Amino acid sequence: MDYEQFADKKCRELMQIQERFMEQLSISSYQHWYYDAELALLRLYNDDIDQLYLKYIPIGTFSLTSETWMWSWFNDHSFEPNKNSTLDVMEFGLENDYPKLTAGTFSGDEFDCWEFTAISLATLGGIGVYRAPSEKLQSYLLITAVLDENSREVIHFNQAKVKCKIHGRSRPAFVCQHLNLEYPKGFEEAFETYKGMELGEDDDFQAWCDECEKVRIRNNGWSEYAEEFAKIKLVCEYCYFELKSFNCR
Ligand SMILES: [Zn+2]
Ligand SMILES: [Zn+2]
């Protein structure tokens, strides 16, 4: 079978599966989406109660500016731990001599994207697909399961994320009670940080003011007294870096 015939057949299979998926889970009733790449978890939601958690495999992305497709196994900016599952599709392409399945990135159109997604679903299995749209980049996600709200991944997702009224969801960060955006008080950190940096599993963004640093040194470290003085509080990652640029001196 040549590639076009094969892709066409898989697209028609996808349409049937997708119709069921959309209907049974009321996918189009959700207005917002958010995904956590490290957990490969997609959350569709309207508010805190009306929501759906889905497990996914990232298939690839389509850049609307350059009109290029990129398979996620080829994408260094894709952080999903399961992205290399898509190498199975690549191997299938090698066996059948379908070059579109084996090249990492190339120019294409939206039909290509749906074909790749359909072929991935047939190769890897799944319950449907989701296209996460943003202004310049569309991410094609293969949905493999619906996650229970009490599942380990959803609990992890909700704990690891801080919800800030101004910035939305982000990673947690910690600062002493004295740091604010009124006047600069110094900014001591547990380690040197920069915006968007990756953190080790046991690392957190942590900062305190000059006064706290004096107390900490007098107490030979974070004694009970020093901790009481600092009263470290939780803030969002973006608030942290706003505090950093304002308080650094
Ligand atoms: Zn302080
Ligand atoms: Zn914030």
Coordinates of all heavy atoms in Angstrom, one line a residue, residues 172-238:
P172 N 5.9 26.0 42.5 CA 5.9 26.7 43.8 C 7.3 27.4 44.0 O 8.3 26.9 43.5 CB 5.7 25.6 44.8 CG 6.2 24.4 44.2 CD 6.0 24.5 42.7
A173 N 7.3 28.5 44.8 CA 8.5 29.1 45.2 C 8.3 29.6 46.6 O 7.1 29.7 47.1 CB 8.8 30.3 44.3
F174 N 9.4 29.9 47.3 CA 9.2 30.2 48.8 C 10.1 31.5 49.1 O 11.2 31.6 48.7 CB 9.7 29.1 49.6 CG 8.9 27.8 49.4 CD1 9.3 26.9 48.5 CD2 7.7 27.6 50.1 CE1 8.5 25.7 48.2 CE2 6.9 26.4 49.9 CZ 7.4 25.5 48.9
V175 N 9.4 32.4 49.8 CA 10.1 33.6 50.2 C 9.8 34.0 51.6 O 8.8 33.6 52.2 CB 9.8 34.9 49.3 CG1 10.2 34.6 47.8 CG2 8.3 35.2 49.4
C176 N 10.7 34.8 52.3 CA 10.4 35.2 53.7 C 9.3 36.2 53.7 O 9.0 36.8 52.6 CB 11.7 35.8 54.3 SG 12.0 37.5 53.8
Q177 N 8.7 36.4 54.9 CA 7.5 37.3 55.0 C 7.8 38.7 54.7 O 6.9 39.5 54.4 CB 7.0 37.1 56.4 CG 8.0 37.5 57.5 CD 7.3 37.7 58.8 OE1 6.1 38.0 58.9 NE2 8.1 37.6 59.9
H178 N 9.1 39.1 54.7 CA 9.4 40.5 54.5 C 9.5 41.0 53.1 O 9.5 42.2 52.8 CB 10.8 40.8 55.2 CG 10.9 40.2 56.6 ND1 11.6 39.1 56.9 CD2 10.2 40.6 57.8 CE1 11.5 38.8 58.2 NE2 10.6 39.7 58.7
L179 N 9.8 40.1 52.2 CA 10.0 40.5 50.8 C 8.7 40.9 50.2 O 7.6 40.3 50.2 CB 10.6 39.3 50.0 CG 12.0 39.0 50.3 CD1 12.4 37.7 49.6 CD2 12.9 40.1 50.0
N180 N 8.7 42.1 49.6 CA 7.5 42.6 48.8 C 8.0 43.5 47.7 O 9.2 43.6 47.5 CB 6.5 43.3 49.8 CG 7.2 44.5 50.6 OD1 8.1 45.1 50.0 ND2 6.9 44.6 51.8
L181 N 7.0 44.2 47.1 CA 7.4 45.1 46.0 C 7.3 46.5 46.4 O 7.1 47.4 45.5 CB 6.5 44.8 44.8 CG 6.6 43.4 44.2 CD1 5.5 43.1 43.1 CD2 8.0 43.1 43.6
E182 N 7.4 46.8 47.7 CA 7.3 48.2 48.2 C 8.6 48.9 48.2 O 8.8 50.0 47.7 CB 6.5 48.3 49.5 CG 5.0 48.1 49.3 CD 4.3 47.5 50.5 OE1 4.8 47.7 51.6 OE2 3.4 46.7 50.3
Y183 N 9.5 48.3 49.0 CA 10.9 48.8 48.9 C 11.9 47.6 49.1 O 11.6 46.7 49.7 CB 11.2 49.9 49.9 CG 11.0 49.6 51.3 CD1 12.2 49.3 52.1 CD2 9.8 49.7 51.9 CE1 12.0 49.0 53.4 CE2 9.6 49.4 53.3 CZ 10.8 49.0 54.0 OH 10.6 48.8 55.3
P184 N 13.1 47.7 48.4 CA 14.0 46.6 48.3 C 14.6 46.2 49.6 O 15.0 47.1 50.4 CB 15.1 47.1 47.3 CG 14.5 48.3 46.7 CD 13.5 48.9 47.6
K185 N 14.7 44.9 49.9 CA 15.2 44.5 51.2 C 16.3 43.5 51.0 O 16.7 42.8 52.0 CB 14.0 43.8 52.0 CG 12.9 44.8 52.3 CD 11.9 44.1 53.2 CE 10.8 45.0 53.6 NZ 9.8 45.2 52.6
G186 N 16.9 43.4 49.8 CA 17.9 42.4 49.6 C 17.3 41.1 49.2 O 16.1 40.8 49.4
F187 N 18.1 40.2 48.6 CA 17.5 38.9 48.1 C 18.6 37.8 48.2 O 19.4 37.7 47.3 CB 17.0 39.1 46.7 CG 16.0 38.1 46.2 CD1 14.6 38.3 46.5 CD2 16.4 37.0 45.4 CE1 13.7 37.4 46.0 CE2 15.4 36.1 45.0 CZ 14.1 36.3 45.2
E188 N 18.5 37.1 49.3 CA 19.4 35.9 49.4 C 18.7 34.7 49.0 O 17.6 34.5 49.3 CB 19.8 35.8 50.9 CG 20.6 36.9 51.5 CD 22.0 37.0 51.0 OE1 22.6 35.9 50.6 OE2 22.6 38.1 50.9
E189 N 19.5 33.9 48.2 CA 18.9 32.6 47.7 C 19.6 31.4 48.2 O 20.8 31.4 48.5 CB 18.9 32.6 46.2 CG 17.9 33.7 45.5 CD 18.0 33.5 44.0 OE1 19.0 33.8 43.4 OE2 16.9 33.2 43.5
A190 N 18.8 30.3 48.2 CA 19.4 29.0 48.6 C 20.4 28.6 47.5 O 21.4 27.9 47.8 CB 18.3 28.0 48.7
F191 N 20.2 28.9 46.3 CA 21.1 28.7 45.2 C 20.8 29.7 44.1 O 19.7 30.3 44.1 CB 21.1 27.3 44.7 CG 19.7 26.8 44.3 CD1 19.1 27.0 43.1 CD2 18.9 26.2 45.3 CE1 17.9 26.6 42.7 CE2 17.6 25.7 45.0 CZ 17.1 26.0 43.7
E192 N 21.8 29.9 43.2 CA 21.6 30.9 42.1 C 20.5 30.4 41.2 O 20.5 29.3 40.8 CB 23.0 31.0 41.4 CG 23.1 32.1 40.4 CD 22.9 33.5 41.1 OE1 23.5 33.7 42.2 OE2 22.3 34.3 40.5
T193 N 19.6 31.3 40.9 CA 18.4 30.9 40.0 C 18.3 31.9 38.8 O 18.9 33.0 38.8 CB 17.1 31.1 40.8 OG1 16.9 32.5 41.1 CG2 17.1 30.3 42.1
Y194 N 17.6 31.4 37.8 CA 17.2 32.3 36.7 C 15.9 31.8 36.2 O 15.5 30.6 36.5 CB 18.3 32.2 35.6 CG 18.6 30.9 35.0 CD1 17.8 30.3 34.0 CD2 19.6 30.1 35.6 CE1 18.1 29.1 33.5 CE2 19.9 28.8 35.1 CZ 19.1 28.3 34.0 OH 19.4 27.1 33.6
K195 N 15.2 32.7 35.5 CA 13.8 32.4 35.1 C 13.7 31.2 34.2 O 14.5 31.0 33.3 CB 13.3 33.6 34.2 CG 12.4 34.5 35.0 CD 11.8 35.5 34.0 CE 11.3 36.7 34.9 NZ 10.9 37.8 34.1
G196 N 12.8 30.3 34.5 CA 12.5 29.2 33.7 C 13.5 28.0 33.9 O 13.4 27.0 33.2
M197 N 14.4 28.1 34.8 CA 15.5 27.1 35.0 C 14.8 25.8 35.4 O 13.8 25.8 36.0 CB 16.5 27.5 35.9 CG 16.1 27.5 37.4 SD 17.4 28.2 38.5 CE 18.5 26.8 38.7
E198 N 15.5 24.7 35.1 CA 15.0 23.4 35.5 C 15.5 23.2 36.9 O 16.6 23.5 37.3 CB 15.5 22.3 34.6 CG 14.7 22.2 33.3 CD 15.0 20.9 32.6 OE1 14.7 19.8 33.3 OE2 15.4 20.9 31.5
L199 N 14.6 22.5 37.7 CA 15.0 22.2 39.1 C 15.1 20.7 39.3 O 14.3 20.0 38.7 CB 13.9 22.8 40.0 CG 13.7 24.3 40.1 CD1 12.6 24.7 41.0 CD2 15.0 24.9 40.7
G200 N 16.0 20.3 40.2 CA 16.1 19.0 40.6 C 14.9 18.6 41.4 O 14.2 19.5 41.9
E201 N 14.7 17.3 41.7 CA 13.5 16.9 42.4 C 13.4 17.4 43.8 O 12.3 17.8 44.2 CB 13.5 15.3 42.4 CG 12.1 14.8 42.1 CD 12.2 13.3 42.0 OE1 12.5 12.8 40.9 OE2 11.9 12.6 43.0
D202 N 14.5 17.6 44.4 CA 14.5 18.1 45.8 C 14.7 19.6 45.9 O 14.8 20.1 47.0 CB 15.5 17.3 46.7 CG 15.2 15.9 46.7 OD1 14.0 15.5 46.8 OD2 16.1 15.0 46.7
D203 N 14.9 20.3 44.8 CA 15.2 21.7 44.9 C 13.9 22.6 44.8 O 13.0 22.2 44.0 CB 16.1 22.1 43.7 CG 17.5 21.6 43.9 OD1 17.9 21.4 45.1 OD2 18.2 21.4 42.9
D204 N 13.9 23.7 45.5 CA 12.8 24.7 45.3 C 13.4 26.0 45.2 O 14.5 26.3 45.8 CB 11.9 24.6 46.6 CG 11.0 23.5 46.6 OD1 10.3 23.2 45.6 OD2 10.9 22.8 47.7
F205 N 12.7 26.9 44.6 CA 13.1 28.4 44.6 C 12.9 28.8 46.0 O 11.8 28.7 46.6 CB 12.3 29.2 43.7 CG 12.4 28.8 42.2 CD1 11.4 28.3 41.5 CD2 13.7 29.1 41.6 CE1 11.6 28.0 40.1 CE2 13.8 28.8 40.2 CZ 12.8 28.2 39.5
Q206 N 14.0 29.4 46.7 CA 13.9 29.9 48.0 C 14.7 31.1 48.2 O 15.8 31.1 47.9 CB 14.5 28.8 49.0 CG 13.5 27.8 49.5 CD 14.2 26.8 50.4 OE1 14.6 27.2 51.5 NE2 14.4 25.6 50.0
A207 N 14.1 32.1 48.8 CA 14.8 33.4 49.0 C 14.4 34.1 50.3 O 13.3 33.9 50.8 CB 14.6 34.3 47.8
W208 N 15.3 34.9 50.8 CA 14.9 35.7 52.0 C 15.7 37.0 52.0 O 16.6 37.2 51.2 CB 15.3 34.9 53.3 CG 16.7 34.3 53.3 CD1 17.8 34.9 53.8 CD2 17.1 33.0 52.7 NE1 18.9 34.1 53.6 CE2 18.5 32.9 52.9 CE3 16.4 32.0 52.0 CZ2 19.2 31.8 52.5 CZ3 17.2 30.9 51.6 CH2 18.6 30.8 51.9
C209 N 15.3 37.9 52.9 CA 15.8 39.3 52.9 C 17.1 39.4 53.6 O 17.5 38.5 54.3 CB 14.8 40.3 53.4 SG 14.6 40.1 55.2
D210 N 17.8 40.6 53.6 CA 19.0 40.8 54.3 C 18.9 40.6 55.8 O 19.8 40.1 56.5 CB 19.5 42.2 54.0 CG 20.1 42.3 52.6 OD1 20.3 41.3 51.9 OD2 20.4 43.5 52.2
E211 N 17.8 41.1 56.4 CA 17.6 40.9 57.8 C 17.5 39.5 58.2 O 18.1 39.0 59.2 CB 16.3 41.6 58.2 CG 16.4 43.2 58.4 CD 17.6 43.6 59.3 OE1 17.6 43.1 60.5 OE2 18.4 44.3 58.9
C212 N 16.8 38.7 57.4 CA 16.7 37.3 57.7 C 18.1 36.6 57.6 O 18.4 35.7 58.3 CB 15.7 36.6 56.7 SG 14.0 36.8 57.1
E213 N 18.9 37.1 56.6 CA 20.2 36.5 56.4 C 21.1 36.8 57.7 O 21.8 35.9 58.1 CB 20.9 37.1 55.2 CG 22.3 36.6 54.9 CD 22.4 35.1 54.5 OE1 21.3 34.4 54.6 OE2 23.5 34.7 54.3
K214 N 20.9 38.0 58.3 CA 21.7 38.3 59.5 C 21.3 37.4 60.6 O 22.1 36.8 61.3 CB 21.4 39.8 59.9 CG 22.3 40.8 59.1 CD 22.0 42.2 59.6 CE 22.2 43.2 58.5 NZ 21.5 44.4 58.8
V215 N 20.0 37.2 60.8 CA 19.5 36.3 61.8 C 19.9 34.9 61.6 O 20.4 34.2 62.5 CB 17.9 36.4 61.9 CG1 17.4 35.3 62.9 CG2 17.5 37.8 62.3
R216 N 19.9 34.5 60.3 CA 20.3 33.1 60.0 C 21.8 32.9 60.4 O 22.1 31.8 60.9 CB 20.1 32.9 58.5 CG 20.2 31.4 58.0 CD 20.0 31.3 56.6 NE 21.1 31.8 55.8 CZ 22.1 31.0 55.4 NH1 22.1 29.7 55.7 NH2 23.1 31.5 54.7
I217 N 22.6 33.9 60.1 CA 24.1 33.7 60.3 C 24.3 33.7 61.9 O 25.1 32.9 62.4 CB 24.9 34.8 59.6 CG1 24.9 34.6 58.1 CG2 26.3 34.9 60.2 CD1 25.4 35.7 57.3
R218 N 23.6 34.6 62.6 CA 23.8 34.6 64.0 C 23.3 33.3 64.7 O 23.9 32.9 65.7 CB 22.9 35.8 64.6 CG 23.6 37.1 64.6 CD 23.0 38.0 65.8 NE 21.6 38.2 65.7 CZ 21.0 39.2 64.9 NH1 21.7 40.0 64.3 NH2 19.7 39.3 64.9
N219 N 22.4 32.7 64.0 CA 21.9 31.4 64.6 C 22.5 30.2 64.0 O 22.0 29.1 64.2 CB 20.4 31.3 64.3 CG 19.6 32.2 65.3 OD1 19.1 31.7 66.3 ND2 19.5 33.5 65.0
N220 N 23.6 30.4 63.3 CA 24.3 29.3 62.6 C 23.4 28.4 61.7 O 23.5 27.2 61.7 CB 25.0 28.3 63.7 CG 26.0 29.0 64.5 OD1 26.9 29.8 63.9 ND2 26.0 28.9 65.8
G221 N 22.6 29.1 61.0 CA 21.7 28.4 60.1 C 20.2 28.6 60.4 O 19.9 29.4 61.2
W222 N 19.4 27.8 59.8 CA 18.0 27.9 60.0 C 17.5 27.3 61.3 O 16.9 26.2 61.3 CB 17.2 27.3 58.8 CG 17.3 28.2 57.5 CD1 17.9 27.9 56.4 CD2 16.7 29.5 57.4 NE1 17.7 28.9 55.5 CE2 17.0 29.9 56.1 CE3 16.0 30.3 58.2 CZ2 16.6 31.2 55.6 CZ3 15.6 31.6 57.7 CH2 15.9 32.0 56.4
S223 N 17.8 28.0 62.4 CA 17.3 27.5 63.7 C 15.8 27.8 63.8 O 15.2 28.4 62.9 CB 18.0 28.3 64.8 OG 17.6 29.7 64.7
E224 N 15.2 27.3 64.8 CA 13.8 27.5 65.0 C 13.5 29.0 65.1 O 12.5 29.5 64.5 CB 13.4 26.8 66.3 CG 12.0 26.3 66.3 CD 11.6 25.6 67.6 OE1 12.3 24.5 67.9 OE2 10.7 26.0 68.3
Y225 N 14.4 29.7 65.8 CA 14.2 31.2 65.9 C 14.3 31.8 64.5 O 13.4 32.7 64.2 CB 15.2 31.8 66.8 CG 15.1 33.3 66.9 CD1 14.1 33.9 67.7 CD2 15.9 34.1 66.2 CE1 13.9 35.2 67.8 CE2 15.8 35.5 66.2 CZ 14.8 36.0 67.0 OH 14.6 37.4 67.1
A226 N 15.3 31.5 63.7 CA 15.5 32.1 62.4 C 14.3 31.8 61.5 O 13.8 32.7 60.8 CB 16.8 31.6 61.8
E227 N 13.8 30.6 61.6 CA 12.6 30.2 60.8 C 11.4 31.0 61.2 O 10.6 31.4 60.4 CB 12.3 28.7 60.9 CG 13.3 27.9 60.0 CD 12.8 26.4 59.9 OE1 11.8 26.1 60.4 OE2 13.6 25.7 59.3
E228 N 11.3 31.2 62.5 CA 10.1 31.9 63.0 C 10.2 33.4 62.6 O 9.2 34.0 62.2 CB 10.1 31.9 64.6 CG 9.0 32.6 65.2 CD 7.6 32.1 64.7 OE1 7.4 30.9 64.4 OE2 6.7 33.0 64.7
F229 N 11.4 33.9 62.5 CA 11.7 35.3 62.1 C 11.3 35.5 60.6 O 10.7 36.4 60.2 CB 13.1 35.7 62.3 CG 13.4 37.1 62.0 CD1 13.1 38.2 62.8 CD2 14.1 37.4 60.8 CE1 13.3 39.5 62.5 CE2 14.3 38.7 60.4 CZ 14.0 39.8 61.3
A230 N 11.7 34.5 59.8 CA 11.5 34.6 58.4 C 10.1 34.3 57.9 O 9.6 34.9 57.0 CB 12.5 33.6 57.6
K231 N 9.4 33.4 58.7 CA 8.1 32.9 58.3 C 7.9 32.8 56.8 O 7.2 33.5 56.1 CB 7.0 33.9 58.8 CG 6.5 33.7 60.2 CD 5.1 34.2 60.4 CE 4.5 33.9 61.7 NZ 5.1 34.8 62.8
I232 N 8.7 31.8 56.3 CA 8.7 31.6 54.8 C 7.3 31.3 54.3 O 6.5 30.5 55.0 CB 9.6 30.3 54.5 CG1 11.1 30.6 54.9 CG2 9.5 29.9 53.1 CD1 11.8 31.5 54.0
K233 N 6.9 31.9 53.2 CA 5.6 31.7 52.7 C 5.7 31.2 51.2 O 6.7 31.4 50.5 CB 4.7 32.9 52.8 CG 5.3 34.1 52.0 CD 4.5 35.4 52.1 CE 5.1 36.4 51.3 NZ 4.5 37.7 51.4
L234 N 4.6 30.6 50.7 CA 4.5 30.1 49.4 C 4.1 31.2 48.4 O 3.1 31.9 48.7 CB 3.5 29.0 49.4 CG 3.2 28.3 48.0 CD1 4.4 27.5 47.5 CD2 2.0 27.4 48.2
V235 N 4.8 31.3 47.3 CA 4.4 32.3 46.2 C 4.5 31.5 44.9 O 5.1 30.4 44.8 CB 5.2 33.6 46.2 CG1 5.1 34.4 47.4 CG2 6.7 33.2 45.9
C236 N 4.0 32.1 43.8 CA 4.2 31.5 42.5 C 5.6 31.8 42.0 O 6.3 32.8 42.4 CB 3.1 31.9 41.6 SG 3.4 33.2 40.4
E237 N 6.0 31.0 41.0 CA 7.3 31.2 40.4 C 7.5 32.6 39.7 O 8.6 33.2 39.8 CB 7.4 30.1 39.3 CG 8.7 30.0 38.6 CD 8.8 28.9 37.6 OE1 7.9 28.0 37.6 OE2 9.7 28.9 36.8
Y238 N 6.5 33.1 39.1 CA 6.6 34.4 38.5 C 6.7 35.6 39.5 O 7.4 36.5 39.3 CB 5.4 34.6 37.5 CG 5.3 33.6 36.5 CD1 4.4 32.5 36.6 CD2 6.1 33.6 35.4 CE1 4.3 31.5 35.7 CE2 6.0 32.5 34.4 CZ 5.1 31.5 34.6 OH 5.1 30.5 33.7

